[in-house]
Amino acid sequence: MKISLKTHGGWGAPIYLNLPPKTVDVGALPKEAAAVVARLVDAARNAPAPPKAQARPASVPTPMSYTITVEDDGEPIVLHQSDAMSPAFEALLNWLNDYFARQSSGGGHSDAH
Amino acid sequence: MVVARIPSDTNNLPTQHSDRIARLSCRCLNCITPPHILRRLLESSDREIRQAALNTLMSTAQLRGERSVLTAFAAASGPANGRRTIFDCRNSTDLPSATLARSEDGAESSDDSVNRAFDGFGKTREFYKAVFDRNSIDGRGMRIDGYVHRGVKFNNAFWDGHEMVFGDGDQRIFADFTLSLDVIAHELAHGVTQFTAALEYHNQSGALNESVSDVFGSLVKQWSLNQGAEEADWLIGSEVFTPGIAGDALRSMKEPGHAYDNELFGKDPQPDHMSKYVHLPDDENGDNGAVHINSGIPNRAFYLTAIGIGGFAWEAPGHIWYEALKASTATTEFQEFADTTFTKAVTLYGTGSAEQQAVAAAWRDVGIRISGTLGGLGSSRSRSGVAGRETDAPATLAKQIEALSAQVKALAKDVAALKGKK
């Protein structure tokens, strides 16, 4: 299973435009970490949609948003939420951000979670 | 369902009284509660009551299908004179669960993020009052609420139409967003735009919306430092990159496209001229039509105007831009805004004034010529002397000739002086 994350909007908008999605190969993770992320993906997929955020006036900047794509056997699953996200989506997003931060700072993934 | 009795005269309701009424009906601030009472309750010292009132106003408005009602309701929220309140999200993304961290009359916090947000709000509020005689974000004393420590390593700060929210940054690329006064003032300027031109947040109007926020964000910083246009750094967000990131800031108004260049995320993509305008899809994958990218063009036009006029940028240049913003509409694009700044320069400083010439020259230098008869005088007297579209008005032509004659005389005088030196 591969999971990728693409971030949009906010102060980093022009930076994110330049960057390809960040990807984690879950099959290459230690067993324990792979099990954790699989559970988080499952929870995010099955979580009820977050409460609809208050409508913003058309002149107010759009919120940041996140696209998480899960590729396993079969069709890719695309999860997309904005700043008003479900707790399960947030947990998966935080795990991914933490993992990618560790990777870019040279940290291993044995302690990824 | 319990419905509170509402006194007939509510205009002079003491806040405590209205709070008590609200407590009685807190769970059912429903559509039968008169809007003026709800607006009064927006001033309550109790956050839950304010939120309940706002929710009720919002749901009522949504039922009516009024998209822009947020602006109207917030404007009607009463004279709070921009009272500041900072809440601590404690790394949650659920704003209603945030706790009070500092209020207008409260003591300083032990949390630096709280104090920086509070002080940044204060400086921004003072700037608008002192420079433009504007009472807070909406011009009517709207309270200014801020939320710090939103989420975990959240790489953003934003205005959501009601309040401002700050993330701590991931500490790898972005630092705590409360560190930057121009970021705070930039976001609050989105509120000012919301209550004035309401520039739609996509394509050119969106890029203009972003630029206006950069302009006033930078002006607040310059004003607080008492810096002249030549002295200012014209950088946006110079404090929010961590020290490990190669880059001066997120944007440069002076040199769009040159704020950063590094291996991690590439080069600043902002254009500094219309010939380099970036076309991207009007969706999240295209930054809503490159709003954060093409803002470089009007940003540089403001910078050039400020340098052209000289002195403090919040004076003539700031007033011209502020008046142009108030005269703009939701769909105003670069050309129309440029024309409006030119017209406002005439209104504020007179035909043929140095301010007017600087505005015309600045827009011309980023590839936008002042339209039609508007541009006749100003652009013909601009720095390079290249005229925009000519006017047929004899009176204006006569003034142009008069102005050109004066320039020739001045040039002849300079040449004579130079010869004398030799």
Side-chain angles (χ1 to χ4, degrees):
Chain A
M1 179 166 65
K2 283 185 181 175
I3 307 172
S4 63
L5 168 67
K6 179 79 178 159
T7 304
H8 320 269
W11 278 89
I15 293 171
Y16 303 135
L17 282 176
N18 266 344
L19 297 176
K22 293 175 183 171
T23 302
V24 52
D25 181 354
V26 178
L29 294 175
K31 262 189 182 176
E32 198 180 320
V36 168
V37 72
R39 276 200 302 274
L40 291 172
V41 167
D42 205 39
R45 282 180 62 186
N46 295 307
K52 205 173 175 184
Q54 284 183 353
R56 293 185 179 195
S59 64
V60 171
T62 48
M64 282 185 76
S65 58
Y66 313 87
T67 305
I68 297 174
T69 306
V70 182
E71 292 176 86
D72 209 347
D73 293 335
E75 285 289 301
I77 298 156
V78 179
L79 307 171
H80 180 271
Q81 293 194 15
S82 73
D83 282 342
M85 61 188 71
S86 70
F89 186 93
E90 185 182 354
L92 175 59
L93 178 66
N94 287 343
W95 188 94
L96 290 170
N97 279 329
D98 191 40
Y99 172 82
F100 295 131
R102 285 168 193 269
Q103 290 303 105
S104 60
S105 62
H109 38 59
S110 60
D111 59 347
H113 237 262
Chain B
M1 181 185 293
V2 177
V3 177
R5 283 187 188 175
I6 307 297
S8 55
D9 179 12
T10 56
N11 287 336
N12 299 316
L13 266 180
T15 305
Q16 280 185 333
H17 189 184
S18 53
D19 284 357
R20 195 158 52 81
I21 291 167
R23 282 179 204 287
L24 287 171
S25 56
C26 199
R27 290 180 194 159
C28 50
L29 289 177
N30 48 50
C31 298
I32 66 167
T33 310
H36 64 282
I37 299 294
L38 290 168
R39 286 174 196 141
R40 180 79 186 160
L41 295 178
L42 286 172
E43 282 306 299
S44 166
S45 57
D46 186 314
R47 190 170 176 280
E48 281 185 13
I49 292 167
R50 288 200 312 275
Q51 193 61 50
L54 183 60
N55 288 345
T56 307
L57 283 162
M58 280 304 303
S59 58
T60 308
Q62 280 163 357
L63 286 172
R64 292 193 204 109
E66 295 174 21
R67 196 172 184 199
S68 62
V69 79
L70 270 172
T71 298
F73 281 147
S77 64
N81 290 318
R83 282 178 66 84
R84 298 163 291 174
T85 311
I86 308 296
F87 299 92
D88 185 352
C89 296
R90 295 174 296 175
N91 299 117
S92 166
T93 55
D94 181 40
L95 299 189
S97 67
T99 54
L100 177 67
R102 187 170 176 186
S103 63
E104 189 66 51
D105 309 314
E108 194 169 318
S109 169
S110 57
D111 183 332
D112 290 342
S113 299
V114 168
N115 294 327
R116 283 193 297 262
F118 187 84
D119 293 343
F121 285 0
K123 280 176 186 156
T124 306
R125 182 184 65 184
E126 284 167 36
F127 166 83
Y128 281 106
K129 186 64 187 164
V131 177
F132 301 129
D133 194 27
R134 183 180 183 86
N135 187 0
S136 188
I137 305 303
D138 63 348
R140 298 183 182 190
M142 178 185 189
R143 62 170 59 248
I144 310 175
D145 290 342
Y147 292 77
V148 299
H149 304 309
R150 186 263 184 209
V152 177
K153 298 180 180 177
F154 182 50
N155 277 338
N156 203 18
F158 63 89
W159 168 260
D160 71 357
H162 309 281
E163 60 230 343
M164 197 179 155
V165 182
F166 299 88
D168 294 334
D170 58 8
Q171 303 300 320
R172 192 172 70 89
I173 297 176
F174 290 111
D176 183 337
F177 282 78
T178 62
L179 286 165
S180 175
L181 175 59
D182 46 88
V183 165
I184 295 173
H186 169 108
E187 292 302 332
L188 294 180
H190 279 307
V192 174
T193 296
Q194 175 189 343
F195 290 101
T196 50
L199 292 160
E200 288 177 0
Y201 201 72
H202 63 112
N203 298 325
Q204 279 202 20
S205 58
L208 205 48
N209 188 323
E210 273 299 315
S211 172
V212 164
S213 276
D214 280 353
V215 165
F216 292 109
S218 183
L219 289 185
V220 170
K221 183 167 75 173
Q222 292 175 36
W223 180 78
S224 71
L225 296 171
N226 200 36
Q227 284 181 330
E230 292 282 358
E231 190 187 353
D233 63 14
W234 297 95
L235 295 171
I236 301 295
S238 53
E239 299 86 354
V240 297
F241 276 153
T242 56
I245 296 298
D248 294 329
L250 280 156
R251 290 187 284 278
S252 167
M253 298 178 70
K254 180 179 179 179
E255 293 181 289
H258 298 274
Y260 58 84
D261 187 1
N262 60 57
E263 281 186 10
L264 190 59
F265 47 76
K267 187 177 185 302
D268 173 8
Q270 283 210 312
D272 60 1
H273 192 276
M274 281 302 282
S275 61
K276 302 175 195 167
Y277 187 89
V278 176
H279 295 275
L280 288 178
D282 180 13
D283 58 28
E284 66 178 12
N285 290 311
D287 187 28
N288 299 107
V291 296
H292 291 94
I293 297 174
N294 291 318
S295 56
I297 297 167
N299 273 0
R300 180 155 166 83
F302 182 79
Y303 162 78
L304 290 171
T305 299
I307 293 298
I309 293 173
F312 293 122
W314 61 85
E315 292 183 341
H319 281 272
I320 292 167
W321 251 246
Y322 180 64
E323 291 303 320
L325 176 67
K326 290 195 293 179
S328 296
T329 67
T331 55
T332 294
E333 297 193 341
F334 290 0
Q335 180 69 59
E336 183 187 339
F337 190 75
D339 292 344
T340 307
T341 57
F342 186 80
T343 306
K344 292 299 174 188
V346 173
T347 307
L348 293 170
Y349 302 101
T351 304
S353 60
E355 290 82 358
Q356 181 202 27
Q357 293 171 50
V359 167
W363 285 110
R364 188 205 61 236
D365 287 355
V366 300
I368 296 174
R369 296 198 172 228
I370 302 304
S371 297
T373 53
L374 283 177
L377 180 59
S379 54
S380 72
R381 298 179 65 197
S382 59
R383 278 177 280 173
S384 71
V386 179
R389 274 178 258 172
E390 295 302 322
T391 172
D392 294 323
T396 309
L397 280 171
K399 280 189 179 177
Q400 282 182 260
I401 292 165
E402 188 184 330
L404 283 168
S405 300
Q407 282 187 325
V408 169
K409 276 183 191 170
L411 265 174
K413 200 175 171 184
D414 287 347
V415 170
L418 281 170
K419 278 183 179 171
K421 279 185 183 175
K422 283 182 180 177

